[in-house]
């Protein structure tokens, strides 16, 4: 039996232009510049620079409004005068006070250089090796990871040498060549474990009682050392507390990741370009948007002249009409892009300004304990925009402050109630937790239970498991691993 019924469904559908605008808002400064370059290359009707500027008339109707993909536009339907006005400048071009000076923002070039493995190979050229030893050494260098370690067992390397290099040798030969590779710089390179890495570095230092004791501890008591069982180390090695302290001090000076110290390592480093700048001027906060987000854009004079020529011609051929339709398409796209950039700039500035005012006390002092609890909805309600829009600004943009360059989303945090029933930021609690741990007695670090008790005494009643979570988020190890002699 068939039944008929009506169903009402409320849905929101974004136009392609709205989706593109959201994508533009999400882009940080450097990515925005690439997107702008792409648009200038793809649309000949759009030009950058101050010379021969002809802006589009902001008064004419949106060319996309009420237009569907299947709709056909005739050349005769185009009001050419709407595209020829040159006496108006888009509003966003006149708001220079909101943007930083171009001189303030310089791109940072990426440094080029030899790779870490090439650096190691270049050192091998100074060592005498026969053909087989050179091939093994080259293979070992190729097995060094970016931290400076060889993580694979020698038995696997032995098999790989046989199958891939046609080199049949013995493990003891590989070990002998490995010892040569381990003499290369930086000290500790090509180690197979942290223990070996540290020992290699110590053995390249001048012999002193502290160095000798440090080597003995790493070779005979590495597990007890990592667990900071200092009393057992003192008993096992028959040394005083001061002697142990000297040995541990030598170990703490070593580099656990020798590969990371090579300055010529060509791993890509992201250079952050702040999208905003906040300065304190006469006791007040001053916000500027990076000037690179406010490009000089205008419509090509050549395209405008084409339309003038079409308007003045008496007989209009089919090819001319096709050309006008093409020009209209490009001009509409140029007008939309300029308008989208204006909306992007306004959205960025309004959103960041609301965040700055919401966290005014923090930006004036730099004290993270002054950060108010703030979620995306707080700012969205303040500026009457969608939460997703605020998220796009916060998740991908950086702000230069008197206290360093920060990712904007770091200023957002949930709230908790203190004993007075007031909302406090979880970032404030983390900052206090970090301060308490920094001020603890390192000979007897505070456990999570004791930290929870101290926080409760300060007016922040949180559970031990919450303390552990915040401690881990701060990258602070458990009490046992914070212990110092």
């Amino acid at each position: 039996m068939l039944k008929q019924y009506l169903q009402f469904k409320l849905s929101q559908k974004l136009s392609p232009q709205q989706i593109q605008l959201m994508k533009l808002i999400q882009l940080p400064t450097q990515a925005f510049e690439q997107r702008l370059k792409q648009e200038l290359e793809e649309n000949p009707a759009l030009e950058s620079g101050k010379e021969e500027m002809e802006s589009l008339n902001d008064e004419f109707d949106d060319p996309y409004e009420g237009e569907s993909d299947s709709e056909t536009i005739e050349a005769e339907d185009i009001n050419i005068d709407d595209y020829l006005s040159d006496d108006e400048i888009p509003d966003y071009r006149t708001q220079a006070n909101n943007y930083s000076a171009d001189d303030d923002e310089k791109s940072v070039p990426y440094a080029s250089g030899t790779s870490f493995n090439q650096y190691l190979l270049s050192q091998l050229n100074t060592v005498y090796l026969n053909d087989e030893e050179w091939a093994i050494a080259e293979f070992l260098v190729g097995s060094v990871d970016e931290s400076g370690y060889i993580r694979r067992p020698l038995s696997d390397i032995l098999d790989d040498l046989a199958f891939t290099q046609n080199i049949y040798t013995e493990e003891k030969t590989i070990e002998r060549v490995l010892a040569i590779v381990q003499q290369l710089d930086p000290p500790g390179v090509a180690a197979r474990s942290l223990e070996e890495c540290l020992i290699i570095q110590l053995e390249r230092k001048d012999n002193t009682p502290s160095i000798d004791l440090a080597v003995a501890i790493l070779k005979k008591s590495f597990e007890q050392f990592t667990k900071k069982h200092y009393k057992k180390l003192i008993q096992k090695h028959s040394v005083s507390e001061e002697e142990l302290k000297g040995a541990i001090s030598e170990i703490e000076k070593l580099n656990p990741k020798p590969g990371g110290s090579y300055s010529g390592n060509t791993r890509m480093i992201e250079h952050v370009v702040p999208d905003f700048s906040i300065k304190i001027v006469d006791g007040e906060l001053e916000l500027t948007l990076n000037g690179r987000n406010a490009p000089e854009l205008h419509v090509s004079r050549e395209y405008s002249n084409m339309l003038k020529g079409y308007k003045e011609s008496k007989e209009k051929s089919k090819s001319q009409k096709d050309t006008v339709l093409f020009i209209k398409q490009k001009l509409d796209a140029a007008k939309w892009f300029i308008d989208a950039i204006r909306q992007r700039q306004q959205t960025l500035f309004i959103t960041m300004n609301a965040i700055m005012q919401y966290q005014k006390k923090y930006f004036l002092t730099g004290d993270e304990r002054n950060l108010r609890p703030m979620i995306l909805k707080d700012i969205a309600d303040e500026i009457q925009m969608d939460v997703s829009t605020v998220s796009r600004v916060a998740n991908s943009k950086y702000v230069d402050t008197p206290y360093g360059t920060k990712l904007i989303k770091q200023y957002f945090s949930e709230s908790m109630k203190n004993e007075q029933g007031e909302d406090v930021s979880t970032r404030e609690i983390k900052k206090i937790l970090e301060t308490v741990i920094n001020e603890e007695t390192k000979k007897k670090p505070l456990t999570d239970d004791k930290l929870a008790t101290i926080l409760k005494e300060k007016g922040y009643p949180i559970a031990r498991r919450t303390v552990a979570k915040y401690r881990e988020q701060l990258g602070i190890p458990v009490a046992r691993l914070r212990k110092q002699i």
Side-chain angles (χ1 to χ4, degrees), residues 308-402:
K308 288 179 182 177
Y310 175 81
K311 182 181 179 182
E312 293 168 359
S313 62
K314 295 181 179 179
E315 294 184 6
K316 297 176 174 56
S317 64
K318 185 180 184 301
S319 62
Q320 285 179 311
K321 293 179 180 179
D322 292 341
T323 301
V324 168
L325 289 174
F326 173 80
I327 292 172
K328 177 200 181 296
Q329 179 188 12
K330 294 301 179 184
L331 289 176
D332 285 347
K335 187 267 176 186
W336 174 83
F337 192 74
I338 291 174
D339 189 57
I341 288 177
R342 176 182 59 79
Q343 292 184 55
R344 175 182 183 272
Q345 291 161 357
Q346 289 180 346
T347 302
L348 295 186
F349 193 85
I350 291 171
T351 304
M352 188 62 226
N353 188 62
I355 293 171
M356 183 182 73
Q357 296 302 331
Y358 201 93
Q359 301 290 4
K360 186 174 182 177
K361 192 174 180 182
Y362 161 76
F363 284 115
L364 285 173
T365 63
D367 189 344
E368 290 194 1
R369 288 172 294 183
N370 289 331
L371 277 172
R372 297 171 57 192
M374 179 176 70
I375 60 175
L376 296 173
K377 190 175 184 301
D378 293 330
I379 301 301
D381 291 344
E382 185 77 22
I383 61 179
Q384 296 185 336
M385 288 187 183
D386 195 83
V387 170
S388 63
T389 302
V390 177
S391 175
R392 284 180 171 87
V393 175
N395 285 335
S396 58
K397 307 291 188 302
Y398 287 83
V399 58
D400 181 32
T401 75

Side-chain angles (χ1 to χ4, degrees), residues 120-134:
L120 296 176
L121 286 174
S122 68
Q123 296 179 64
L124 279 177
N125 291 325
T126 63
V127 181
Y128 176 76
L129 299 169
N130 61 37
D131 290 344
E132 182 186 70
E133 289 171 337
W134 172 263

Side-chain angles (χ1 to χ4, degrees), residues 232-465:
K232 292 182 180 179
L233 290 174
I234 289 173
Q235 294 173 354
K236 183 174 182 178
H237 294 272
S238 301
V239 295
S240 67
E241 186 174 303
E242 282 302 313
E243 287 173 324
L244 179 61
K245 187 180 293 184
I248 291 173
S249 175
E250 292 293 342
I251 296 173
E252 289 176 343
K253 296 175 185 175
L254 305 176
N255 184 359
K257 292 186 178 181
S261 64
Y262 175 60
S263 60
N265 197 323
T266 55
R267 287 177 293 165
M268 184 60 73
I269 300 173
E270 181 185 0
H271 293 282
V272 172
V273 175
D275 304 274
F276 306 91
S277 176
I278 293 178
K279 296 178 181 178
I280 302 174
V281 180
D282 297 330
E284 292 295 327
L285 297 175
E286 182 181 278
L287 173 67
T288 55
L289 177 64
N290 189 318
R292 289 155 64 171
N293 289 282
E296 301 272 359
L297 295 178
H298 59 271
V299 174
S300 166
R301 181 178 293 276
E302 182 181 353
Y303 266 57
S304 298
N305 289 338
M306 287 181 187
L307 282 183
K308 288 179 182 177
Y310 175 81
K311 182 181 179 182
E312 293 168 359
S313 62
K314 295 181 179 179
E315 294 184 6
K316 297 176 174 56
S317 64
K318 185 180 184 301
S319 62
Q320 285 179 311
K321 293 179 180 179
D322 292 341
T323 301
V324 168
L325 289 174
F326 173 80
I327 292 172
K328 177 200 181 296
Q329 179 188 12
K330 294 301 179 184
L331 289 176
D332 285 347
K335 187 267 176 186
W336 174 83
F337 192 74
I338 291 174
D339 189 57
I341 288 177
R342 176 182 59 79
Q343 292 184 55
R344 175 182 183 272
Q345 291 161 357
Q346 289 180 346
T347 302
L348 295 186
F349 193 85
I350 291 171
T351 304
M352 188 62 226
N353 188 62
I355 293 171
M356 183 182 73
Q357 296 302 331
Y358 201 93
Q359 301 290 4
K360 186 174 182 177
K361 192 174 180 182
Y362 161 76
F363 284 115
L364 285 173
T365 63
D367 189 344
E368 290 194 1
R369 288 172 294 183
N370 289 331
L371 277 172
R372 297 171 57 192
M374 179 176 70
I375 60 175
L376 296 173
K377 190 175 184 301
D378 293 330
I379 301 301
D381 291 344
E382 185 77 22
I383 61 179
Q384 296 185 336
M385 288 187 183
D386 195 83
V387 170
S388 63
T389 302
V390 177
S391 175
R392 284 180 171 87
V393 175
N395 285 335
S396 58
K397 307 291 188 302
Y398 287 83
V399 58
D400 181 32
T401 75
Y403 326 106
T405 299
K406 310 285 187 181
L407 186 62
I408 295 171
K409 73 175 182 180
Q410 293 178 353
Y411 297 124
F412 288 83
S413 66
E414 298 290 338
S415 64
M416 291 187 66
K417 298 282 186 184
N418 62 13
E419 287 189 336
Q420 287 72 42
E422 300 168 335
D423 283 336
V424 293
S425 168
T426 53
R427 284 183 64 87
E428 177 183 335
I429 298 174
K430 288 180 184 178
K431 187 65 178 178
I432 294 171
L433 175 63
E434 188 176 25
T435 301
V436 170
I437 292 175
N438 287 337
E439 294 175 352
E440 70 185 357
T441 303
K442 295 305 178 185
K443 280 193 173 184
K444 196 174 182 181
L446 299 167
T447 64
D448 290 341
D449 279 322
K450 289 181 179 178
L451 288 170
T453 301
I454 292 172
L455 286 174
K456 186 176 181 180
E457 291 172 354
K458 290 180 177 291
Y460 305 96
I462 58 176
R464 184 206 60 81
R465 63 178 180 274

Side-chain angles (χ1 to χ4, degrees), residues 39-314:
E39 189 70 20
L40 286 168
E41 289 174 351
E42 293 179 356
N43 189 351
L46 186 66
E47 291 184 352
S48 63
K50 295 181 180 179
E51 294 182 1
E52 299 185 9
M53 187 203 73
E54 285 198 15
S55 66
L56 288 170
N57 188 341
D58 287 336
E59 300 299 325
F60 76 92
D61 295 335
D62 185 345
Y64 297 102
E65 189 174 343
E67 184 176 316
S68 65
D69 294 337
S70 60
E71 191 175 355
T72 302
I73 302 173
E74 298 295 337
E76 287 78 5
D77 296 335
I78 302 173
N79 185 353
I80 294 175
D81 289 333
D82 283 342
Y83 292 85
L84 297 180
S85 174
D86 62 354
D87 59 353
E88 292 190 27
I89 299 175
D91 290 341
Y92 77 90
R93 295 280 313 279
T94 65
Q95 299 172 356
N97 289 338
N98 288 342
Y99 311 116
S100 64
D102 293 340
D103 292 340
D104 292 342
E105 304 297 337
K106 300 294 183 184
S107 61
V108 183
Y110 293 110
S112 62
T114 57
S115 70
F116 184 34
N117 297 103
Q118 288 172 331
Y119 173 63
L120 296 176
L121 286 174
S122 68
Q123 296 179 64
L124 279 177
N125 291 325
T126 63
V127 181
Y128 176 76
L129 299 169
N130 61 37
D131 290 344
E132 182 186 70
E133 289 171 337
W134 172 263
I136 295 172
E138 187 177 25
F139 193 85
L140 287 172
V141 166
S143 301
V144 174
D145 65 19
E146 58 187 24
S147 294
Y149 288 82
I150 292 179
R151 310 281 186 181
R152 305 176 62 224
L154 292 189
S155 57
D156 289 353
I157 292 176
L158 179 71
D159 292 339
D160 281 353
L161 282 168
F163 288 114
T164 65
Q165 308 297 317
N166 204 28
I167 297 174
Y168 298 92
T169 185
E170 299 177 343
E171 273 195 40
K172 63 180 181 180
T173 304
I174 297 176
E175 283 188 6
R176 178 166 50 81
V177 176
L178 176 62
I180 296 172
V181 174
Q182 288 176 342
Q183 295 305 308
L184 303 178
D185 287 328
V189 73
R192 290 162 289 179
S193 65
L194 174 60
E195 178 184 357
E196 186 177 42
C197 175
L198 299 177
I199 291 172
I200 291 171
Q201 294 178 58
L202 286 172
E203 290 180 339
R204 290 175 67 169
K205 292 176 175 285
D206 295 332
N207 282 351
T208 66
S210 292
I211 295 290
D212 292 341
L213 177 57
V215 172
I217 289 172
L218 293 177
K219 286 184 175 180
K220 300 176 183 178
S221 314
F222 185 72
E223 185 176 353
Q224 289 173 326
F225 166 72
T226 58
K227 292 182 178 179
K228 298 194 174 185
H229 292 162
Y230 295 134
K231 289 184 179 179
K232 292 182 180 179
L233 290 174
I234 289 173
Q235 294 173 354
K236 183 174 182 178
H237 294 272
S238 301
V239 295
S240 67
E241 186 174 303
E242 282 302 313
E243 287 173 324
L244 179 61
K245 187 180 293 184
I248 291 173
S249 175
E250 292 293 342
I251 296 173
E252 289 176 343
K253 296 175 185 175
L254 305 176
N255 184 359
K257 292 186 178 181
S261 64
Y262 175 60
S263 60
N265 197 323
T266 55
R267 287 177 293 165
M268 184 60 73
I269 300 173
E270 181 185 0
H271 293 282
V272 172
V273 175
D275 304 274
F276 306 91
S277 176
I278 293 178
K279 296 178 181 178
I280 302 174
V281 180
D282 297 330
E284 292 295 327
L285 297 175
E286 182 181 278
L287 173 67
T288 55
L289 177 64
N290 189 318
R292 289 155 64 171
N293 289 282
E296 301 272 359
L297 295 178
H298 59 271
V299 174
S300 166
R301 181 178 293 276
E302 182 181 353
Y303 266 57
S304 298
N305 289 338
M306 287 181 187
L307 282 183
K308 288 179 182 177
Y310 175 81
K311 182 181 179 182
E312 293 168 359
S313 62
K314 295 181 179 179

